[in-house]
Amino acid sequence: MRIGELAERAGVSTRSLRYYEKQGMLTARRDANGYRVYDESDLELVREIRALLTVGFTLEDARPFVECLRAGNDTGDACPDSVAVYRRKLAEIDAEIRLLWQRRQRVAAQLTRACPGCVLRDFREG
Amino acid sequence: MRIGELAERAGVSTRSLRYYEKQGMLTARRDANGYRVYDESDLELVREIRALLTVGFTLEDARPFVECLRAGNDTGDACPDSVAVYRRKLAEIDAEIRLLWQRRQRVAAQLTRACPGCVLRDFREG
DNA sequence: CTTGACATTGACATTGGCGTCAAGCCGTAC
DNA sequence: GTACGGCTTGACGCCAATGTCAATGTCAAG
């Protein structure tokens, strides 16, 4: 299939597919016209990438998963590098949540100080 | 005082101060040389901005606080607009935390599936 | 006079994942 | 032949908050 069909089937823009290719996440054969040609495995690959991006992974984070799939595994997370990324991302997410929570506490404290009753009123209203 | 001293005392770069000025967050008198001249109230203002930035506010978020201080209030959050920003930021932070939490759950589920025992082992180790 | 520390403005680089043109080639249908 | 849609590459825009030149001006000390 060509880039338009792959984009359609994977639910991404053609722009994104070319971007992924430029980042080395995707490779495409070319036909006589120079048009990119993809097969079913490329579709799976793009779907893997999208699934990871939607849970907050970066493209770089997704790289080991892509390489794992390319190596012939049926899932991208069948390789130790991918599992390591899972664990690292979990830690990152936890750190972010802690940071956000601290900020929340500080802002809530400021709000309470600036406008006593505001926070309490929130709880009663919502 | 001039820009270098203000930067030093507020703990920011001179580059940042000029940027704040370009964004309309800070105004400076100029002496005969064209050099920016600041007073103590400007220092307070910059400190207010920094305090807000460090809890995750954007410069735009900080604008009502700056205007509140300029209006003669002794704290930046003495005005309703500032309080409104507090409330909005609280809601934003809560939304972010919820999103991160959902992601965390999904990643944890994937990790468990890809490597049963990994998550449990984390709890035992740490 | 020169050096050096400070000041000025302006503009480009960074990070990420694209959207959105722009200009042109390819192929098919009419 | 021409119109249309899909493909190609390339490049700029966006968001935030600076960092980092670059080229030049100012001022006090030696």
Side-chain angles (χ1 to χ4, degrees):
Chain A
M1 82 193 86
R2 290 184 300 188
I3 198 170
E5 185 180 347
L6 178 60
E8 176 84 10
R9 291 223 270 159
V12 303
S13 65
T14 58
R15 179 75 185 81
S16 299
L17 294 179
R18 296 194 189 97
Y19 176 68
Y20 297 160
E21 180 174 322
K22 201 180 300 178
Q23 302 304 315
M25 308 294 295
L26 199 57
T27 54
R29 285 170 292 118
R30 302 297 185 115
D31 69 7
N33 305 328
Y35 286 14
R36 291 170 176 82
V37 178
Y38 303 95
D39 57 26
E40 295 299 316
S41 69
D42 293 315
L43 176 58
E44 279 184 50
L45 213 148
V46 174
R47 284 186 172 150
E48 177 86 17
I49 292 173
R50 296 305 304 185
L52 293 171
L53 289 183
T54 58
V55 292
F57 284 45
T58 67
L59 263 188
E60 274 315 302
D61 292 332
R63 196 176 294 277
F65 294 79
V66 168
E67 288 173 358
C68 191
L69 275 177
R70 279 197 188 133
N73 297 281
D74 46 338
T75 65
D77 56 14
C79 305
D81 282 358
S82 306
V83 174
V85 174
Y86 276 154
R87 296 165 72 98
R88 179 170 56 75
K89 293 305 279 188
L90 259 191
E92 286 178 12
I93 292 172
D94 286 348
E96 276 190 73
I97 290 176
R98 273 194 296 274
L99 180 61
L100 279 175
W101 190 251
Q102 287 172 1
R103 288 179 177 175
R104 206 216 109 92
Q105 301 292 77
R106 282 206 255 175
V107 174
Q110 287 294 105
L111 174 56
T112 305
R113 205 183 45 66
C115 175
C118 276
V119 182
L120 200 58
R121 205 177 305 137
D122 278 344
F123 276 96
R124 284 177 191 159
E125 286 171 3
Chain B
M1 83 192 83
R2 290 185 298 188
I3 197 169
E5 185 180 347
L6 177 59
E8 176 84 11
R9 290 223 270 158
V12 304
S13 66
T14 57
R15 181 73 186 82
S16 299
L17 293 178
R18 296 195 190 96
Y19 176 67
Y20 296 161
E21 181 174 321
K22 201 181 302 178
Q23 302 304 313
M25 308 295 295
L26 200 56
T27 55
R29 285 170 293 117
R30 302 298 184 113
D31 68 9
N33 306 328
Y35 286 14
R36 291 169 175 81
V37 178
Y38 303 95
D39 57 25
E40 295 298 318
S41 71
D42 294 315
L43 176 57
E44 279 184 50
L45 212 148
V46 174
R47 284 185 173 152
E48 176 85 16
I49 292 173
R50 295 307 302 188
L52 293 171
L53 290 183
T54 58
V55 292
F57 284 44
T58 67
L59 262 188
E60 274 316 302
D61 292 332
R63 195 177 295 277
F65 294 79
V66 169
E67 288 173 359
C68 191
L69 275 177
R70 279 198 189 132
N73 298 280
D74 45 339
T75 63
D77 55 14
C79 305
D81 281 0
S82 306
V83 175
V85 173
Y86 275 154
R87 296 165 71 98
R88 178 169 57 75
K89 293 305 279 188
L90 259 191
E92 286 178 13
I93 292 173
D94 286 347
E96 277 189 72
I97 290 177
R98 272 194 296 275
L99 180 61
L100 280 175
W101 189 252
Q102 287 173 2
R103 288 178 177 178
R104 206 216 109 92
Q105 302 293 77
R106 283 205 255 175
V107 174
Q110 286 295 105
L111 174 55
T112 305
R113 204 184 46 66
C115 175
C118 276
V119 180
L120 199 60
R121 204 178 304 137
D122 277 344
F123 274 96
R124 283 178 191 159
E125 284 170 5

